[in-house]
């Protein structure tokens, strides 16, 4: 099933990643606005927003960041948060940013990329990531800025790639919970929000998929010990939780109205499941989703 976007918060392992030579670690470089904006993932916003409101959203992604002696917020392993920067035409041009945005924030991280393998979505990924897909800390930085762009109606720019504007039909939801529900029980729980779900594959009682062909898929899998744990979950996680992740993905429909209707139903189903199992619902970039 084709998915509209790549959840980069899951691309955190080595995966034959390569570090761009000549780049020093963030703590070794001065905080120059042009350098920061041109060499790191950037959140682009228009209109007035306070730095405090942006930081509050960042703290939903990671509730326990730290500050260093320079008052820079460390929001993830290897990721530092800078801004706001006023994007006057001169600075935007120097940093090779698109016009039309008034404010920029930077998620500073070492640049690491993994080559895009051949496959069904390879061409679409190469158009979005002409300089390869970020991994490691850069993948975390990219998830943070793309998630904020989606929440705030902004855009995100990854170095070497065109600006990314989140579209309303791009969505993946993940519910983290305890032991997996049997597929018949999950289908019953979600039946009011999404009727006519069928099982399309099962490797084990806790590893299976439900779907409606051409519309959506719900992938149920054990949460592996080596799998990336979103920062929003870390204060709650222990040896007994999470055991299972339910991943909801959608297929773009023929019209925008049909797509929006499907997304709303999928979101409602994910919210319902989280409530029923006492789980936590996050979007694809690791931001909590409210009821």
């Amino acid at each position: 099933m084709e998915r509209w976007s790549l959840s980069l918060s899951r691309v955190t392992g080595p995966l034959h990643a390569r570090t761009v030579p000549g780049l020093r670690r963030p703590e070794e470089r001065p905080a120059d606005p042009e350098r920061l904006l041109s060499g790191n993932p950037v959140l682009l916003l228009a209109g007035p927003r306070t730095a405090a409101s942006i930081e509050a959203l960042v703290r939903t992604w990671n509730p326990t960041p730290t500050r260093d002696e320079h008052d820079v917020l460390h929001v993830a392993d290897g990721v530092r948060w800078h801004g706001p920067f006023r994007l006057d035409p001169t600075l935007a041009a120097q940093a090779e940013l698109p016009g039309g945005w008034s404010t920029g924030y930077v998620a500073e991280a070492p640049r690491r990329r993994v080559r895009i393998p051949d496959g069904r979505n390879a061409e679409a990924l190469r158009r979005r990531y002409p300089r390869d897909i970020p991994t490691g800390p850069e993948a975390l930085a990219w998830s943070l800025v793309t998630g904020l762009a989606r929440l705030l109606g902004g855009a995100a720019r990854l170095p070497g790639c065109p600006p990314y504007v989140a579209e309303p039909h791009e969505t993946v939801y993940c519910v983290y919970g305890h032991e997996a529900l049997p597929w018949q029980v999950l289908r019953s729980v979600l039946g009011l929000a999404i009727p006519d779900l069928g099982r399309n594959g099962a490797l084990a009682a806790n590893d299976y998929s439900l779907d409606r062909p051409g519309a959506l898929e719900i992938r149920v899998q054990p949460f592996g010990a080596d799998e990336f744990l979103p920062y929003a979950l870390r204060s709650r996680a222990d040896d007994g939780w999470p055991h299972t992740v339910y991943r909801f993905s959608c297929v773009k429909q023929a019209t925008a109205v049909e797509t929006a209707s499907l997304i709303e139903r999928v979101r409602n189903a994910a919210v319902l499941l989280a409530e029923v199992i006492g789980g936590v619902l996050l979007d694809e970039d690791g931001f909590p989703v409210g009821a």
Side-chain angles (χ1 to χ4, degrees), residues 9 13 24 30 47 52 61 72-73 79 92 97 99 104 113 133 147 149 163-164 189 191 205 249 257 266 280:
S9 62
R24 292 181 292 169
W61 186 82
V72 175
L73 201 66
V79 182
L97 296 173
R113 304 286 170 87
I133 296 177
Y164 168 68
V189 168
S249 58
V257 172
V266 169
V280 177

Side-chain angles (χ1 to χ4, degrees), residues 152-219:
L152 297 169
R157 201 289 311 273
L158 186 69
C161 300
Y164 168 68
V165 179
E167 298 185 24
H169 59 257
E170 294 188 346
T171 181
V172 174
Y173 297 116
C174 295
V175 177
Y176 297 83
H178 300 281
E179 296 296 337
L181 295 177
W183 72 269
Q184 302 94 329
V185 175
L186 179 60
R187 184 175 64 176
S188 177
V189 168
L190 301 180
L192 290 178
I194 308 176
D196 304 323
L197 285 170
R199 189 176 63 167
N200 71 353
L203 298 177
N206 63 347
D207 192 346
Y208 63 87
S209 292
L210 298 181
D211 78 347
R212 184 188 295 171
L216 62 100
E217 179 184 62
I218 304 164
R219 187 78 178 94

